[in-house]
Amino acid sequence: MSSLEERDVGVAVAPSSSSAGLGVGAAVEAVAGVAAMQEDVGIRREGPEPDPDEPPKKRVKIPEGESGKLEERLYSVLCCTVCLDLPKASVYQCTNGHLMCAGCFIHLLADSRLKEEQATCPNCRCEISKNLCCRNLAVEKAVSELPTECTFCLKQFPRSSLERHQKEECQDRFTTPCTQTLKIN
């Protein structure tokens, strides 16, 4: 054989290399085992059959039932890393891109000032300050377009227009009766 051994799973490995402390045979068997498990679960690789001379593709298509709704996945990606809620106003990010809502960001800065310490990102522990962090306008815009439910009529609206709907347009909103009487001259 050449300097690379090719196995029937289509993965080329160097004869002396190992994967996480495993021997070559064990590493190849592990790759084959993962592929077999993916087939058993019903995960199929996208596109045409892979070329046996190329390494396997890493992207796999998750079956529809397991992927969840797009909105649910976006909620988990765009939420504040401190309070785990969707931001209602400004969104700040540390130098590594971790998101914080304005309330949590200001809270972290105030707490560190009281303790006379440098504020750090709760995820990666990099330094954060008003000068080091910046707003993430793309995330703010994406969050404002996510659907949310009106508490009165239970219809879905983008977050950016929900407040106006609930205060002015919703037919099921609570209203206070007018207590003033008109004087007619």
Side-chain angles (χ1 to χ4, degrees):
M1 279 196 152
S2 66
S3 65
L4 293 178
E5 293 180 285
E6 288 191 21
R7 304 291 170 133
D8 59 345
V9 292
V11 177
V13 291
S16 62
S17 71
S18 66
S19 174
L22 298 174
V24 173
V28 172
E29 288 174 13
V31 170
V34 169
M37 284 189 288
Q38 288 175 340
E39 286 183 22
D40 290 344
V41 174
I43 299 175
R44 304 276 186 250
R45 297 196 185 277
E46 292 180 276
E49 287 296 316
D51 184 10
D53 295 332
E54 291 186 29
K57 302 277 185 208
K58 292 190 179 188
R59 289 192 174 192
V60 293
K61 185 175 183 179
I62 298 172
E64 186 65 31
E66 297 174 19
S67 66
K69 294 174 100 177
L70 175 63
E71 291 89 10
E72 292 170 4
R73 295 191 317 253
L74 286 175
Y75 280 100
S76 66
V77 170
L78 301 175
C79 68
C80 171
T81 57
V82 180
C83 65
L84 302 177
D85 286 334
L86 276 179
K88 293 176 178 54
S90 302
V91 178
Y92 291 88
Q93 68 179 21
C94 74
T95 53
N96 291 324
H98 298 119
L99 304 175
M100 293 166 268
C101 65
C104 290
F105 178 64
I106 292 168
H107 190 81
L108 288 171
L109 294 179
D111 278 355
S112 67
R113 196 173 283 162
L114 288 173
K115 295 177 184 176
E116 297 179 357
E117 298 175 351
Q118 173 63 45
T120 58
C121 170
N123 280 15
C124 63
R125 300 293 177 206
C126 72
E127 291 184 6
I128 60 172
S129 69
K130 287 187 177 180
N131 294 331
L132 293 174
C133 295
C134 62
R135 284 179 60 188
N136 190 323
L137 300 177
V139 169
E140 290 177 21
K141 180 93 171 157
V143 168
S144 74
E145 294 301 319
L146 284 174
T148 189
E149 193 172 81
C150 173
T151 55
F152 305 119
C153 66
L154 305 179
K155 293 181 182 175
Q156 296 280 324
F157 293 94
R159 295 173 73 84
S160 59
S161 63
L162 180 67
E163 187 176 348
R164 179 177 46 88
H165 165 77
Q166 288 181 335
K167 285 185 177 179
E168 301 170 11
E169 301 169 354
C170 185
Q171 299 297 315
D172 297 335
R173 73 182 186 277
F174 296 120
T175 56
T176 56
C178 185
T179 57
Q180 295 178 355
T181 58
L182 296 174
K183 292 183 179 181
I184 303 175
N185 292 348

